[in-house]
Each structure stands twice: as C-alpha cells, then as structure tokens.
Amino acid sequence: MASRPFSLLVLLFSAIVVSDAAGSVGINYGRVANNLPSPDKVVQLLKSQGINKVKLYDTDATVLTALANSGISVVVALPNELLAATAADQSAADNWVQSNITKFYPQTKIEAIAVGNEVFVDPKNTTNYLVPAMKNIHASLVKSKLDSAIKISSPIAFSALQVSYPSSAGSFKQELVEPVIKPMLDFLKQTGSYLMVNAYPFFAYAANSDQISLDYALFKNNPGVVDSGNGLKYQSLFEAQIDAVFAALSAIQYDDVKMVVTETGWPSMGDENEIGAGEENAAAYNGNLVRKVLNGSGSPLRPQDPINVYLFALFNENQKPGPTSERNYGLFYPNEQKVYNIPLTLEELQGGESTPVNTSTSQAPPVAGEVSKTQVGQTWCVANGKAGEEKLQAALDYACGQGEADCKAIQPGATCYNPNTLEAHASYAFNSYYQKNTRAAGTCEFGGAAYVVSQPPAYGNCEFPTGN
C-alpha cells in the first residue's frame, strides 16, 4: 500500500518452529492513531498471542524500549523523509545508527532495518537516494560490528512489477531495472539480505472482481488457475503474486535472492466501492494465509522455500487517511479485543482454535463496508477519551442533534445520566447513532472521537443498547 508513514509493524507469529520448511508469520505495528494502548501493553498483547516478530515504521524510542528483553524480533525503519540526507552524508547515517540502533541493541532484538518504504511510489521522488542510503547505513553497521546481525533491505510495492499475470511473465518496470532494482539486488546479495515485498491480493480482487474468484483470493477451495506460461497450477492469488515477483527476479538473473512479504492483509471494513472488504473475508484471508505459512508449504514456483510474511496490521488505525479500508486492517481493536478470531501460532492450528474459514460456503459475503453481525457478533461504539473535550462535545452535539441519536437516557435524572461525564455521555450517544445506522462503515468515527469495541461498555449501571 502507498507508504504508510511511521505506521506499520509486521509481526511474525512462528512461536513454534515446525521444521526447516515452515515459514514465519509476523505483524506490522502501525501507530497512525490516537487511541492505541501504550507500547508496554502492546508488548504484553504480542506475547499473549504468541507473536514473536514485529515490524515497525520508525525507531520510536518508547516502542523500542518496551520491546527490550521481550524475546520479540524487530524490523525497524528509516523513513523516506531521511533518505536524501542519509544517502548524501555518511556521518548522517552513522549518527542515525548510533541513536536508533546501537543505543537499543542487543536488549531489543533488532533483526533488520527497512530503509524507506515503497520508495518507488513515493510522491517526493526519493528513488535515486535509496541504494546510496542503504549502503551508507550498512557501512555504519560495519563500524559498529553489527552488519552480520542486522540485515538491510527496503519494502517495495507490488506495483513495481510491469507485468504480474500470468505469474510466469512477471517482470519489473523497465525504467526501474537498471537505475535501482539491479543495484539494490546486488547489494542484497553482497550483504546476505533478502528482498522485502508488500503484496495485497485484496487490491487485485477489488479492481477485478468480475474476473477473479473470491475463493481464489481468500485461499478457499477453488478449481485453481493454470499458468499458461509454465503450466503450474495456482490455488491462491497470493501465491500467484509472489511467484510473479520470483519470475521477475529470474528474468534479470537474480534467481538466488530470497524474499519476505513485509505487508499483506485484508480489510475488515470498506467503502461501498471496495468490493470484498468485510470481517468474514478478512478472517478467511489472514487465517488461511497463517495456516499455509505455518504448515510449511512454499509457492508453486519455489515449493521448497518457506514463505515468511508480516500481516498488516496489529491495530485498526483511526487517523490513517484514505478510504475506510485504510483504517480497518487491524487484527485488534485499540481496546486489545480481536476484530475476528484466527490462529496465530501452530498450537492454535493444531488445537483448532479459530474461525472456520477454510471451506467455501453458499452464504454471500457481507456487503462491502458493513460489519457481519452473524459472523462477528455484537459490537458497540464508544468515545475516545484522548480526543479532547472540544472534539467530544462537538461530536456529542452532532449525534444527539442532526444525527438523531436517542439521547433521552443521558438527560438529568434519566437512567444513564450517571456517571455525569462527557466521555460517558458521548459514548452512549455515539453508540445509539452507531446501532441506529446498523453499525455501517464510518458510523463510529466522528472524526477520531470514537471507535468500535466488541465488549459491552461499562459506565456505572447504564446498559448500552444493541442493534438486535
């Protein structure tokens, strides 16, 4: 996805090593939100879920300190805004490594540095700075004797491919090959690193739902698609996409470069035109992907290579710009409740603890942008106490006025007047509005003043209504 400023962390879930062939699942920990739990609480959440790999979008000191001595491996990032300075000046790279890497390592298990994020689609034209910046950061690691412990790479968007279908015809955009793709791949080979790729079958499906089977996009049972170029049969769009990258590498004679999928995911909510967005589909995609990865099966083109992925993302992030889907990729709500239930570890897979998502059903998927009431259960809308009194009051006034929420219960002397606090009253009004509008996409936002929870709100003896 287009560069997510300081936002994504990918967590690899392979808490249990199955075999040499098994891959790992991590998660992106993005923080473009104003209602997330503290980093200390996030680390406890990760550990409680068996997640032992995470990917960040920056080097925030509070986050890196919280991750110290946790046993969680971390991918950190040098943001696009610093590429030009880092590329131009070795001392700038040295200072960055000293302040953001050596200061925290080895207590914090930094395993890789993502230099930039989806640089080729950065509107600020930072592509020319990428490889020089990677080389300068590596030189800094050498000085600190950390170059053998910490890898350097850079996540590229799937759109770096000129051709992706059929997979066997995969090729990089010609204008990128000589100036940056080949120099970067040479650097990765020289340093023993790997290519980072962000791949989202959701985008391909949403844009071509008349041609692509939803079951194929979600790893569900389907007839498969035979590649006309190499005769290989694909059972999922994800595998077809990563094999298109492998084919593109092969086309320019870089067959020996390994790959990690540093972002992939499916939104649990979207706008009307975001076909396929929904909790049931998100659970199917991510749950079946985790199954595939942890069970150790590779792709048709490279069946012996484990697939390593970082899911996007840990939390729904309420301040991300763009369509509704951008704020709804999280596996967890900001209150640490699961958006949907999927296995994250081999133990869960073997114990069968997950939403059954591996088979196709005759039931139609939820309408894009809506919450599936039957699959996900009841949800409520509550106020974000960190939004500030002014924003909460304005949103409360709107909900009870133009929004036509039922606010009688929070009037003086009524059943939900106590506790008499702005946050409690706003939560009641926001939830009334949310339920009245059938919990549809965008009805629990109020400009960042509210968010969805899956547990009944507790404000004194007040009982919050449901939409049932």
Side-chain angles (χ1 to χ4, degrees):
M1 214 92 347
S3 72
R4 306 168 188 280
F6 298 73
S7 171
L8 296 175
L9 269 166
V10 181
L11 306 166
L12 301 174
F13 306 126
S14 60
I16 312 280
V17 177
V18 189
S19 71
D20 290 342
S24 59
V25 181
I27 200 162
N28 284 281
Y29 171 23
R31 304 193 315 282
V32 186
N34 59 9
N35 56 359
L36 299 183
S38 68
D40 285 335
K41 288 186 176 180
V42 171
V43 171
Q44 292 308 309
L45 174 64
L46 297 176
K47 292 171 73 173
S48 74
Q49 299 298 317
I51 297 168
N52 65 0
K53 283 182 178 282
V54 70
K55 178 176 164 286
L56 307 174
Y57 288 83
D58 56 11
T59 51
D60 182 86
T62 306
V63 174
L64 291 178
T65 300
L67 285 162
N69 304 309
S70 66
I72 298 171
S73 296
V74 186
V75 177
V76 300
L78 183 146
N80 293 356
E81 292 80 7
L82 299 181
L83 287 175
T86 307
D89 186 357
Q90 181 63 56
S91 64
D94 292 346
N95 291 336
W96 186 87
V97 167
Q98 183 63 40
S99 300
N100 298 283
I101 304 299
T102 58
K103 181 179 177 181
F104 300 99
Y105 185 89
Q107 288 80 9
T108 301
K109 290 177 61 177
I110 300 172
E111 68 171 28
I113 301 170
V115 176
N117 185 53
E118 298 189 343
V119 173
F120 306 154
V121 292
D122 185 351
K124 295 184 178 177
N125 272 332
T126 50
T127 296
N128 291 339
Y129 305 123
L130 178 57
V131 176
M134 294 172 76
K135 290 181 175 178
N136 282 350
I137 292 294
H138 182 258
S140 299
L141 290 181
V142 171
K143 292 178 184 178
S144 301
K145 296 182 171 57
L146 295 178
D147 55 300
S148 61
I150 300 175
K151 302 299 183 186
I152 293 175
S153 188
S154 183
I156 66 170
F158 190 69
S159 60
L161 296 187
Q162 181 73 49
V163 177
S164 60
Y165 180 82
S167 298
S168 58
S171 62
F172 292 110
K173 289 181 176 176
Q174 200 56 45
E175 66 270 22
L176 294 174
V177 173
E178 295 299 333
V180 62
I181 296 285
K182 284 186 175 180
M184 180 176 68
L185 295 174
D186 284 333
F187 170 82
L188 297 179
K189 289 179 64 173
Q190 291 161 9
T191 59
S193 189
Y194 51 85
L195 180 64
M196 294 178 169
V197 177
N198 297 342
Y200 286 88
F202 167 70
F203 293 142
Y205 172 75
N208 302 279
S209 60
D210 57 333
Q211 302 173 43
I212 298 174
S213 157
L214 181 60
D215 287 348
Y216 181 65
L218 299 178
F219 298 90
K220 290 185 176 183
N221 292 337
N222 67 91
V225 175
V226 176
D227 187 307
S228 58
N230 58 23
L232 294 174
K233 188 174 187 177
Y234 288 88
Q235 300 294 151
S236 74
L237 182 54
F238 173 82
E239 292 173 281
Q241 287 190 340
I242 63 173
D243 272 3
V245 179
F246 283 136
L249 290 169
S250 180
I252 53 175
Q253 285 78 54
Y254 287 88
D255 299 82
D256 50 348
V257 173
K258 301 294 184 182
M259 179 172 68
V260 170
V261 178
T262 38
E263 282 184 32
T264 189
W266 197 284
S268 61
M269 188 179 291
D271 296 320
E272 281 188 24
N273 63 341
E274 295 186 286
I275 299 170
E279 291 190 23
E280 184 179 2
N281 290 343
Y285 178 81
N286 285 322
N288 287 330
L289 174 60
V290 169
R291 284 183 179 85
K292 177 170 183 60
V293 169
L294 296 186
N295 283 330
S297 53
S299 70
L301 198 57
R302 296 196 183 183
Q304 302 307 314
D305 285 4
I307 298 174
N308 300 310
V309 303
Y310 286 90
L311 299 181
F312 186 80
L314 185 56
F315 294 110
N316 283 345
E317 298 171 67
N318 68 348
Q319 293 185 315
K320 293 194 61 143
T324 296
S325 62
E326 285 292 314
R327 294 175 290 283
N328 290 280
Y329 273 88
L331 299 185
F332 293 87
Y333 293 113
N335 69 349
E336 302 181 41
Q337 296 294 315
K338 287 184 177 181
V339 177
Y340 44 80
N341 191 38
I342 63 168
L344 298 179
T345 65
L346 185 64
E347 286 177 321
E348 288 181 293
L349 284 179
Q350 293 174 336
E353 299 176 27
S354 67
T355 305
V357 293
N358 214 13
T359 57
S360 183
T361 69
S362 58
Q363 182 180 0
V367 176
E370 290 188 356
V371 176
S372 168
K373 301 177 180 61
T374 56
Q375 289 290 321
V376 183
Q378 180 62 48
T379 54
W380 292 261
C381 182
V382 297
N384 172 16
K386 298 179 181 178
E389 289 189 6
E390 185 176 349
K391 180 175 281 190
L392 280 182
Q393 187 64 57
L396 172 60
D397 292 343
Y398 171 83
C400 293
Q402 186 178 345
E404 299 182 349
D406 184 356
C407 297
K408 294 190 293 292
I410 55 175
Q411 301 306 310
T415 55
C416 291
Y417 179 71
N418 290 315
N420 181 18
T421 66
L422 178 58
E423 183 177 340
H425 287 183
S427 290
Y428 188 92
F430 295 167
N431 183 64
S432 173
Y433 179 85
Y434 177 61
Q435 303 297 344
K436 181 175 75 87
N437 287 281
T438 66
R439 304 188 294 234
T443 59
C444 183
E445 291 186 1
F446 296 96
Y451 60 94
V452 173
V453 297
S454 57
Q455 298 296 320
Y459 288 101
N461 296 320
C462 178
E463 186 172 329
F464 276 52
T466 70
N468 296 337

